[in-house]
């Protein structure tokens, strides 16, 4: 499906390294343009009018292969899931909207998602291992107020060497309030 954009062949020795989808459907007239360029990469942005739809990073050179590591006692399988509950308290809310109740802040929902994803890895850490959040693509789509509980689920979607990509979802009372992806990268502590 081209969704209004013609297929474009990649030059020799180039490959798509990353696709970041920003959640909108492929409808209507789309346009693409170069958003960033370096010696070996170019980021092509796809938009519908002024609304961003996706970013595609293309890299020149061979596909990078994951290096093996010994930072985990056992490797979690893709599809491994974990669900955690987080209470909404005053310290995780923002109240910058006048005459409105404080609501869960976006940085807090992201922290809940990253912490849930990291817990999947923490259970398998070898001595001296830690993980860091290294990429976030999250949509905060609904409110949560003080006293409610946010249910966050992380599912391991992809593994590339020391980089682990998770699909994340957050719900309050059965209603989705956030979703997206986060990445954790393993590091060895001295």
């Amino acid at each position: 499906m081209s969704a209004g954009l013609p297929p474009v062949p990649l030059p020799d020795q180039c490959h798509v390294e990353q696709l970041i989808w920003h959640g909108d459907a492929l409808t209507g007239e789309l346009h693409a343009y170069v958003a960033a360029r370096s010696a070996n990469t170019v980021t092509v942005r796809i938009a519908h009018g002024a609304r961003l739809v996706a970013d595609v990073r293309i890299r020149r050179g061979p596909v990078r292969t994951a290096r093996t590591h010994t930072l985990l006692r056992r490797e979690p399988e893709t599809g491994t899931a974990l669900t955690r509950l987080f209470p909404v308290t005053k310290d995780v809310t923002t109240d910058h909207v006048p005459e409105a109740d404080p609501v869960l802040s976006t940085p807090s929902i992201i922290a809940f998602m990253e912490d849930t994803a990291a817990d999947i890895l923490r259970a398998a850490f070898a001595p001296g291992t830690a993980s860091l959040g290294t990429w976030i693509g999250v949509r905060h789509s609904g409110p949560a107020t003080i006293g409610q509980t946010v249910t966050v689920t992380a599912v391991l979607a992809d593994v590339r060497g020391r980089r682990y990509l998770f699909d994340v979802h957050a719900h309050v009372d059965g209603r989705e309030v956030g979703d997206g992806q986060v990445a954790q990268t393993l590091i060895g502590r001295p």
Side-chain angles (χ1 to χ4, degrees):
M1 169 169 69
S2 67
L5 292 174
V8 177
L10 293 177
D12 288 341
Q13 302 298 316
C14 291
H15 62 279
V16 173
E17 182 175 69
Q18 184 176 41
L19 168 66
I20 302 171
W21 199 263
H22 298 287
D24 286 351
L26 282 175
T27 59
E29 187 71 26
L30 300 174
H31 64 279
Y33 58 93
V34 174
R37 183 185 310 263
S38 69
N40 291 316
T41 63
V42 63
T43 299
V44 176
R45 184 152 288 162
I46 300 171
H48 177 247
R51 191 161 175 91
L52 182 60
V53 175
D55 285 321
V56 181
R57 185 168 59 217
I58 300 167
R59 178 173 293 281
R60 181 183 327 139
V63 174
R64 295 190 283 185
T65 57
R67 290 180 270 164
T68 59
H69 62 78
T70 57
L71 297 170
L72 297 177
R73 292 188 318 273
R74 61 175 169 69
E75 188 72 36
E77 295 181 18
T78 56
T80 300
L82 179 67
T83 298
R84 290 188 53 200
L85 304 177
F86 296 89
V88 180
T89 58
K90 183 169 179 23
D91 61 322
V92 297
T93 62
T94 183
D95 62 357
H96 66 272
V97 178
E99 300 179 31
D101 291 334
V103 294
L104 179 66
S105 70
T106 300
S108 294
I109 198 170
I110 291 169
F112 295 167
M113 292 172 166
E114 286 197 306
D115 201 44
T116 303
D119 272 354
I120 291 174
L121 297 174
R122 286 183 189 121
F125 280 176
T129 298
S131 69
L132 299 173
T134 54
W135 185 82
I136 304 165
V138 169
R139 177 177 45 203
H140 187 174
S141 56
T145 57
I146 294 174
Q148 292 185 308
T149 299
V150 181
T151 302
V152 175
T153 300
V155 179
L156 181 57
D158 188 42
V159 178
R160 296 194 183 181
R162 298 180 304 124
R163 184 177 185 268
Y164 293 75
L165 182 68
F166 298 87
D167 293 326
V168 288
H169 299 273
H171 292 84
V172 172
D173 299 329
R175 170 181 51 86
E176 188 169 81
V177 296
D179 70 305
Q181 291 185 318
V182 297
Q184 292 278 313
T185 300
L186 297 177
I187 61 168
R189 294 180 293 189

